[in-house]
């Protein structure tokens, strides 16, 4: 099931972050995102009482942005990211956001496929967007 993240999820979300990203947010960045950033919202996917994935997004006036989505490797390809994304889109729409944007690594086939499937359109490529020099695809969906 998808639910709002709570304070007790902090450690497990840091762990998922570390296991899912090549350049993960450190604990300080995660702490800011979870507890201080006023526009940031976290949803988690809980399976049999265990958190196995999350999505982080920002809602700012009439637009929203996905900053992170991750599911632990063992639990991938079961539709859990899809459920997280669907709930996030529903929430953003309810908060009157009209668009949802994101950047994704050009090489991230799984995430790009997830976004295409959900109606995100490629707007442009941002060259050398990531610190390791990889390009980002900038994608947008009308909500
Ligand atoms: C991207 C990610 C979140 C997908 O999680 P998931 O739970 O496995 O995704 P789902 O099972 O919900 O799949 C939904 C859709 O995503 C796409 N998809 C997911 N994994 C895929 C893969 N390995 N190859 C191709 N498409 C894939 C498919 O379109 C899939 O729909 P389908 O099952 O009908 O084909 C997961 O691979 C992940 O955590 N990756 C590491 C973190 C990351 O890169 N996040 C994105 C940052 S922008």
């Amino acid at each position: 099931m998808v639910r709002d993240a709570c304070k007790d999820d902090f450690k497990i979300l840091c762990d998922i972050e570390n296991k899912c990203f090549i350049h993960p947010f450190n604990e300080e960045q995660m702490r800011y995102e979870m507890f201080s950033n006023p526009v940031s919202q976290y949803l988690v996917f809980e399976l049999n009482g265990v958190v196995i994935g999350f999505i982080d997004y920002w809602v700012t006036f009439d637009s929203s942005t996905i900053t992170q989505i991750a599911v632990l490797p063992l639990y991938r390809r079961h539709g859990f990211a899809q459920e997280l994304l669907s709930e996030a889109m529903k929430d953003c729409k309810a908060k009157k956001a009209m668009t949802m944007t994101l950047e994704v690594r050009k090489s991230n086939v799984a995430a790009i496929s997830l976004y295409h499937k959900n109606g995100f359109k490629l707007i442009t490529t941002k060259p050398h967007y990531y610190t390791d020099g990889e390009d980002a695809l900038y994608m947008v969906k009308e909500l």
Side-chain angles (χ1 to χ4, degrees):
M1 68 162 189
V2 178
R3 62 163 173 81
D4 287 337
C6 63
K7 220 172 149 205
D8 289 350
D9 295 321
F10 179 69
K11 284 281 171 210
I12 183 77
L13 293 198
C14 289
D15 187 48
I16 295 173
E17 174 81 16
N18 284 321
K19 288 184 170 133
C20 292
F21 292 99
I22 320 165
H23 300 285
F25 279 4
N26 60 36
E27 281 207 10
E28 198 184 325
Q29 291 166 311
M30 287 290 284
R31 203 180 297 282
Y32 174 75
E33 276 299 298
M34 276 187 81
F35 305 124
S36 302
N37 184 345
V39 300
S40 168
Q41 173 79 47
Y42 275 81
L43 300 177
V44 300
F45 196 97
E46 191 180 301
L47 186 69
N48 300 325
V50 179
V51 173
I52 54 95
F54 71 89
I55 187 168
D56 171 28
Y57 53 98
W58 298 346
V59 185
T60 42
F61 302 104
D62 62 351
S63 69
S64 58
T65 302
I66 298 177
T67 58
Q68 306 275 61
I69 181 167
V71 170
L72 283 172
L74 193 62
Y75 299 96
R76 287 180 190 165
R77 303 308 310 252
H78 288 90
F80 300 145
Q82 179 61 59
E83 287 196 44
L84 284 163
L85 181 57
S86 297
E87 279 305 312
M89 290 192 295
K90 213 191 291 174
D91 183 43
C92 290
K93 217 172 161 175
K95 288 174 174 151
K96 311 282 184 224
M98 294 171 74
T99 55
M100 192 168 225
T101 69
L102 60 89
E103 278 94 13
V104 58
R105 284 178 182 269
K106 205 176 171 180
S107 63
N108 195 341
V109 176
I112 292 167
S113 169
L114 169 70
Y115 299 137
H116 270 142
K117 193 181 161 192
N118 283 276
F120 284 81
K121 300 269 185 293
L122 173 64
I123 301 299
T124 190
T125 299
K126 297 187 179 182
H128 314 299
Y129 180 80
Y130 296 99
T131 47
D132 61 6
E134 185 168 354
D135 296 350
L137 304 187
Y138 177 67
M139 303 180 83
V140 175
K141 179 186 163 74
E142 305 290 329
L143 293 175

